[in-house]
Amino acid sequence: MMHALAFTLCLIGFAALALATRRQQHDVIGRSLPRGPVRGLRIVGTIALLLALGWLVARQGFGLGLVMFSGHTTMAAAVVYGALIARVRMAGRTARRR
């Protein structure tokens, strides 16, 4: 349960931070978002990562909590990065078929 919650928070955090960038906004939704929603995505991403860090450190102690946080953030970043790559490739295939 502890790992699932921490990983989910990291995944939400990195997904929000990725969608706060203009390039990913264009790739995913086709346009840039206004400043307000971008700021909100950055805040949500930061808070989610800090909550995951706090949760792991509180449950496992400072040393092991930081190591676990490093692992969870690495896995979550890889999943988000892979999903963004897959999204762009799928969109490219769809465009070529038309």
Side-chain angles (χ1 to χ4, degrees):
M1 180 67 180
M2 174 184 57
H3 292 291
L5 177 64
F7 180 72
T8 302
L9 286 170
C10 289
L11 196 61
I12 290 168
F14 278 115
L17 290 173
L19 288 175
T21 62
R22 282 202 173 119
R23 179 178 178 182
Q24 301 310 326
Q25 291 169 10
H26 284 283
D27 288 347
V28 174
I29 61 174
R31 63 181 176 86
S32 291
L33 294 173
R35 285 185 181 181
V38 169
R39 185 174 294 138
L41 284 168
R42 287 180 182 158
I43 291 169
V44 166
T46 303
I47 289 172
L49 289 172
L50 289 174
L51 283 173
L53 176 61
W55 171 258
L56 289 169
V57 168
R59 300 284 288 186
Q60 295 295 321
F62 195 73
L64 186 58
L66 287 178
V67 172
M68 292 174 90
F69 179 71
S70 177
H72 286 296
T73 55
T74 300
M75 288 190 322
V79 168
V80 170
Y81 186 68
L84 291 171
I85 290 172
R87 169 87 169 109
V88 170
R89 288 189 179 180
M90 292 263 222
R93 286 183 185 164
T94 305
R96 279 187 262 153
R97 288 183 184 169
R98 291 181 186 182

